Amino acid sequence: MALIVAKFGGTSVADIERIERAAAKVVQEVERGHKVVVVVSAMSGVTNQLVEHCSAISKMHDLREYDVVVSSGEQATAGLMAMALQKAGVQARSWLGWQIPIRTSDMHGKARVTGVETEELHKRLDSGEVVVVPGFQGVTEAGRIATLGRGGSDTTAVALAAALEAERCDIYTDVDGVYTADPRVVEQAQKIPKVSYEEMIELASLGTKVLQIRSVEIAMNKEVPVQVLSSFEDEIGSDLPGTLVTREDDIMEKQTVSGVAYSRDDAKITVLDVPDKPGLAAKIFKPLAEAAINIDMIVQNVSSDTKTTDVTFTVSRNESARALEVIGNLEEFQEAGVLTADNVAKISVVGIGMVSYHGVASKMFETLAEKGINIQVISTSEIKISVLVDEEYTELAVRALHEAFGLEEQEAA
Ligand code: ADP
Ligand code: ASP
Ligand code: MG
């Protein structure tokens, strides 16, 4: 008998029929004698709609109230899932984030899980009840509902699996695993049977939305085995060939490049004619950090006259209005011009084998050049290279790089 956390994403609970299909999987696990915690997302499209409602009132809406609104989608699915399980003859009860409680930081809109109370959950599971939890939400120290950032139900699932010391965390979604590139963009993309936590963190942070980055970080820290599985097959977790996210040591063959990722969630901001003297970069980035705005890529151009320079950086597209407001309020930059562009995409190649192999960057740049794609910003780490390009070239760039690195014919590890 094992304790399993099973998470169903938006498309897997998109309507009542799908909720009942998902419930049938849970019933199969229960029949095998397992204790099951089910984590559910909002029904497909619901969160987007709720986010739109908030933005329609104001782009600068109160984030505490945003959390009240957007967390409601998962609440509805949790109740429906509990009903579907009861109808299938299984004891089930829903538990909202604040009822468990799942404690979070107070960074509304993108809070982090800080703790999970497990005593009551264990009691319920021991009594034979299936515990149903809405993903994406928790409660702050001040007692307010907080959400965990888009895709945050994955993090709820892994955080619960870690706290409950579950045997595994099954993430059921609309693809049957993690692929070498988004299978919706690259037809020849290959499923990766096993991927290391480190690579998955990079892939997730670079736009591979199949798992939220925080969920993989928690899985790595607590060594939770995570499987990405299709919810459209009839089989259940232990029988399905999905992708296992695991420790690097457990993977025999390490690919130089294991995947290509893209993200259209970034915005580029350029502050023009910044005086070229010590401390100016800090004057831009410190207030942004204090406003909890994450900066991703940064370039500071060398000034030709040594007097002024331009500083370009990227932020999340949904935070660009806030970032501009912060910069606009800085005394030093009242005179500076600020340019913003939303029509950018970040394209990345990721691979743990890159650490010991040179030439990945030049191959990437050459490939893009051959397609006439201009690179606006570059950033690298030990196991990834990212470039910012015009958004209209997203698919072209992803497909060209997938081919250039031979990913369609690779026998993955
Ligand atoms: P869910 O609603 O189940 O949480 P998501 O939409 O968050 O599902 O994540 C699944 C989607 O991730 C897939 O439909 C797929 O288009 C996308 N995706 C992007 N890159 C990859 C990749 N490398 N491998 C698998 N899926 C990917
Ligand atoms: N419903 C939330 C979202 O769409 C959380 C999730 O599905 O993981 O971002
Ligand atoms: Mg998701």
Side-chain angles (χ1 to χ4, degrees):
M1 195 216 264
L3 198 165
I4 294 162
V5 175
K7 178 252 169 180
F8 295 92
T11 21
S12 310
V13 292
D15 53 36
I16 298 303
E17 194 193 324
R18 294 222 181 133
I19 291 176
E20 294 201 307
R21 283 192 68 172
K25 285 196 196 303
V26 176
V27 172
Q28 281 191 64
E29 296 287 13
V30 171
E31 283 168 352
R32 290 190 185 186
H34 299 319
K35 297 179 189 173
V36 190
V37 174
V38 186
V39 175
V40 287
S41 285
M43 294 160 91
S44 179
V46 168
T47 310
N48 284 348
Q49 169 115 71
L50 294 170
V51 171
E52 275 168 30
H53 288 333
C54 296
S55 298
I57 290 196
S58 163
K59 282 251 179 266
M60 306 300 283
H61 48 253
D62 182 318
L63 289 173
R64 284 174 180 72
E65 300 310 332
Y66 165 91
D67 278 348
V68 172
V69 177
V70 300
S71 60
S72 65
E74 270 70 11
Q75 171 164 339
T77 325
L80 293 168
M81 174 60 80
M83 288 178 197
L85 287 164
Q86 289 166 1
K87 181 173 156 189
V90 167
Q91 261 191 76
R93 183 64 60 212
S94 66
W95 293 81
L96 303 182
W98 62 269
Q99 289 173 309
I100 294 176
I102 294 175
R103 299 189 192 284
T104 72
S105 66
D106 60 4
M107 222 190 284
H108 284 275
K110 52 177 180 184
R112 291 165 83 90
V113 175
T114 53
V116 180
E117 292 284 328
T118 56
E119 203 179 318
E120 186 64 27
L121 295 187
H122 274 302
K123 267 195 223 152
R124 298 288 173 151
L125 290 164
D126 289 345
S127 76
E129 197 169 285
V130 171
V131 168
V132 183
V133 180
F136 189 45
Q137 58 168 266
V139 61
T140 67
E141 216 171 299
R144 304 291 314 179
I145 288 181
T147 61
L148 308 179
R150 296 306 305 268
S153 297
D154 299 326
T155 299
T156 306
V158 178
L160 280 166
L164 293 163
E165 297 181 3
E167 183 146 309
R168 54 172 215 267
C169 183
D170 290 346
I171 305 284
Y172 288 98
T173 182
D174 56 2
V175 274
D176 63 350
V178 179
Y179 279 70
T180 49
D182 187 343
R184 287 179 208 251
V185 172
V186 182
E187 218 180 293
Q188 299 84 354
Q190 301 285 311
K191 186 161 74 183
I192 312 173
K194 277 187 185 180
V195 63
S196 68
Y197 291 122
E198 290 84 352
E199 280 171 304
M200 197 62 233
I201 285 175
E202 288 287 9
L203 286 168
S205 72
L206 298 169
T208 302
K209 289 189 177 150
V210 66
L211 287 175
Q212 197 201 35
I213 175 168
R214 272 300 291 155
S215 72
V216 195
E217 286 169 356
I218 298 173
M220 181 163 92
N221 289 340
K222 304 284 165 130
E223 297 211 347
V224 180
V226 173
Q227 290 192 93
V228 177
L229 305 164
S230 163
S231 68
F232 300 132
E233 314 283 337
D234 285 331
E235 290 96 339
I236 51 170
S238 44
D239 304 334
L240 277 174
T243 293
L244 179 67
V245 189
T246 184
R247 288 163 6 134
E248 190 190 330
D249 312 351
D250 298 338
I251 298 173
M252 301 292 287
E253 203 185 312
K254 298 186 176 64
Q255 307 297 339
T256 308
V257 169
S258 356
V260 182
Y262 69 91
S263 160
R264 292 188 178 104
D265 297 338
D266 305 271
K268 182 177 78 166
I269 299 181
T270 302
V271 187
L272 297 167
D273 298 330
V274 177
D276 196 7
K277 58 181 190 199
L280 255 293
K283 287 221 163 74
I284 300 175
F285 294 118
K286 192 162 172 247
L288 289 168
E290 282 165 359
I293 294 167
N294 292 335
I295 309 296
D296 181 19
M297 307 168 105
I298 303 179
V299 270
Q300 181 181 322
N301 302 334
V302 180
S303 57
S304 49
D305 57 2
T306 69
K307 287 201 184 75
T308 61
T309 181
D310 298 342
V311 178
T312 297
F313 55 94
T314 61
V315 296
S316 220
R317 225 175 261 187
N318 61 14
E319 288 183 335
S320 69
R322 281 177 210 282
L324 288 177
E325 192 189 53
V326 170
I327 295 168
N329 288 337
L330 298 175
E331 230 173 81
E332 293 84 351
F333 303 104
Q334 293 297 321
E335 305 298 312
V338 181
L339 304 176
T340 55
D342 271 2
N343 59 335
V344 288
K346 183 172 58 177
I347 316 289
S348 312
V349 296
V350 174
I352 208 133
M354 252 188 230
V355 176
S356 50
Y357 179 83
H358 303 282
V360 176
S362 60
K363 189 169 191 169
M364 182 175 190
F365 302 156
E366 262 166 33
T367 306
L368 296 172
E370 274 163 24
K371 299 284 177 196
I373 301 172
N374 185 41
I375 297 172
Q376 303 179 15
V377 185
I378 301 169
S379 75
T380 62
S381 81
E382 269 201 320
I383 65 166
K384 73 115 204 258
I385 302 170
S386 302
V387 296
L388 200 70
V389 302
D390 194 314
E391 188 177 3
E392 73 173 292
Y393 298 120
T394 310
E395 281 88 0
L396 180 63
V398 172
R399 290 189 192 120
L401 292 169
H402 195 267
E403 195 186 334
F405 287 101
L407 294 174
E408 60 279 299
E409 64 231 20
Q410 146 181 313
E411 278 298 311

